């Protein structure tokens, strides 16, 4: 079984790259629940040692949406809950 840091190797997640295409959103022309969940999934990559910088389009997408005020606030709440549970 590959270790978490190399299980993805050098391969980009092709379906997500194809789905994102040249747009800023997964579905349509505005932020939807699909984008919110995809950002969450992209955050998980850090926990398994995958650097999204390998895929500039996806890294830029994640950074753009993490900067959204509602997403940033959700991350604050999530991290506070994580710390509370770890205590």
């Amino acid at each position: 079984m590959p270790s978490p840091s190399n299980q993805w190797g050098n391969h980009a997640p092709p379906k997500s790259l194809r789905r994102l295409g040249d747009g800023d959103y997964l579905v349509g022309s505005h932020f939807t629940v699909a984008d919110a969940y995809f950002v969450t999934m992209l955050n998980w990559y850090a926990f398994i040692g995958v650097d999204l910088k390998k895929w500039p389009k996806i890294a830029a997408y994640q950074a753009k949406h993490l900067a959204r005020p509602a997403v940033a606030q959700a991350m604050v709440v999530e991290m506070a809950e994580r710390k509370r549970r770890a205590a």
Side-chain angles (χ1 to χ4, degrees), residues 30-73:
H30 61 279
F31 190 81
T32 67
V33 68
D35 296 294
Y37 193 70
F38 189 45
V39 168
T40 299
M41 291 175 52
L42 292 174
N43 290 338
W44 296 343
Y45 277 63
F47 292 104
I48 61 171
V50 175
D51 187 355
L52 293 177
K53 290 178 186 172
K54 293 178 184 179
W55 310 293
K57 176 70 177 176
I58 289 183
Y61 171 91
Q62 180 192 34
K64 174 183 178 173
H65 293 301
L66 284 175
R68 295 175 63 87
V71 175
Q73 179 59 33

Side-chain angles (χ1 to χ4, degrees), residues 8 12 22 26 28 32 35-36 58 63 65 72 76 78-80 83 86:
W8 295 98
D22 292 328
L26 287 176
T32 67
D35 296 294
I58 289 183
H65 293 301
V76 167
E78 181 181 339
M79 292 302 115
K83 287 180 184 177

